[in-house]
Amino acid sequence: MQTKSIGRAGIAVATIAMGAAATLAAAPAALASSPAQAPTTLAAKNTCPTWSVTGKAVNFRSGPGTGYASKGLLYRWTDSGTKLSSSGSWIKLKLDHKSKTGIKTGTTGWVHKNYLEQCVYMQLD
């Protein structure tokens, strides 16, 4: 009796193996007949509104240009603000907190974009 059970099990295993071999043999042909598609990469627009100061001591101006009066200085990595608008190479910011030099929270002013860096959202899986 044990010999019959082992024999039947052996036939079943052989049948499964033969089916798998036929499937594997057909796979390369199926791949060759369909065109290869490159993975699609989507570039997302950075929508983070916060901009940090990257210059050592940057003028926070009343308008978009060096001809406008400075309201005070903003310092690297300690001062930041929310972008309200832009004009050419100038970004209008609203300060998120009191600046290192004492400019009040919520004050608006202009900084050249060369002295700012936009934050980047991170996705943690």
Side-chain angles (χ1 to χ4, degrees), residues 68-91:
Y68 291 90
S70 176
K71 295 182 175 188
L73 296 176
L74 301 179
Y75 286 92
R76 180 184 295 163
W77 308 126
T78 58
D79 294 322
S80 62
T82 302
K83 179 181 175 181
L84 299 177
S85 64
S86 63
S87 177
S89 297
W90 293 82
I91 306 290

Side-chain angles (χ1 to χ4, degrees), residues 2 5 16 37 40 55 84 87 91 115 121-122:
Q2 284 183 336
S5 297
I16 292 169
Q37 293 182 355
T40 303
L84 299 177
S87 177
I91 306 290
Y115 303 110
Y121 288 125
M122 294 177 62

Side-chain angles (χ1 to χ4, degrees), residues 12-102:
V13 170
T15 304
I16 292 169
M18 287 173 43
T23 302
L24 289 174
L31 289 173
S33 66
S34 65
Q37 293 182 355
T40 303
T41 304
L42 298 175
K45 181 181 177 188
N46 188 358
T47 58
C48 184
T50 303
W51 291 69
S52 295
V53 176
T54 59
K56 288 183 182 179
V58 178
N59 282 306
F60 191 53
R61 297 192 177 274
S62 59
T66 56
Y68 291 90
S70 176
K71 295 182 175 188
L73 296 176
L74 301 179
Y75 286 92
R76 180 184 295 163
W77 308 126
T78 58
D79 294 322
S80 62
T82 302
K83 179 181 175 181
L84 299 177
S85 64
S86 63
S87 177
S89 297
W90 293 82
I91 306 290
K92 185 175 186 180
L93 296 179
K94 179 179 179 181
L95 293 181
D96 294 335
H97 57 275
K98 185 176 178 181
S99 75
K100 184 177 178 180
T101 57

